[in-house]
Amino acid sequence: MTVMDDWVTAACADLGLDPAQVPVPAVLDLAKDVAHQVLRPGAPVSAYLLGLAVGRGADPAAAAARLSALAAAWPVELGADRPDPTAP
């Protein structure tokens, strides 16, 4: 097991979730796409939004793919080329 596996297993146990239902690669890919194509603080927020959507019945892979596609289509002038206003 990796540290990520250990973390997901422990976090799921604490929250009463099934670790087998956590699409770690899809969440990480989504976070990467948003961080690189939109802005870095958008990555955890997008992961949270994905969780909300899945909690309301969305398919995890499909919802992650939709958000990744949205990030890929994000206009450059609105995205990563602009300095992050939340950065210190």
Side-chain angles (χ1 to χ4, degrees):
M1 284 185 89
T2 67
V3 174
M4 178 64 78
D5 294 331
D6 292 342
W7 167 250
V8 169
T9 299
C12 284
D14 196 61
L15 296 173
L17 301 171
D18 178 4
Q21 299 297 312
V22 180
V24 173
V27 174
L28 293 176
D29 285 344
L30 169 61
K32 174 192 62 143
D33 292 343
V34 173
H36 292 175
Q37 296 168 3
V38 183
L39 77 161
R40 286 184 2 201
V45 173
S46 298
Y48 177 78
L49 294 173
L50 175 65
L52 287 177
V54 170
R56 293 181 179 170
D59 174 79
R66 287 178 61 189
L67 290 173
S68 287
L70 180 62
W74 199 253
V76 172
E77 64 273 9
L78 297 178
D81 285 351
R82 195 175 60 196
D84 179 0
T86 64

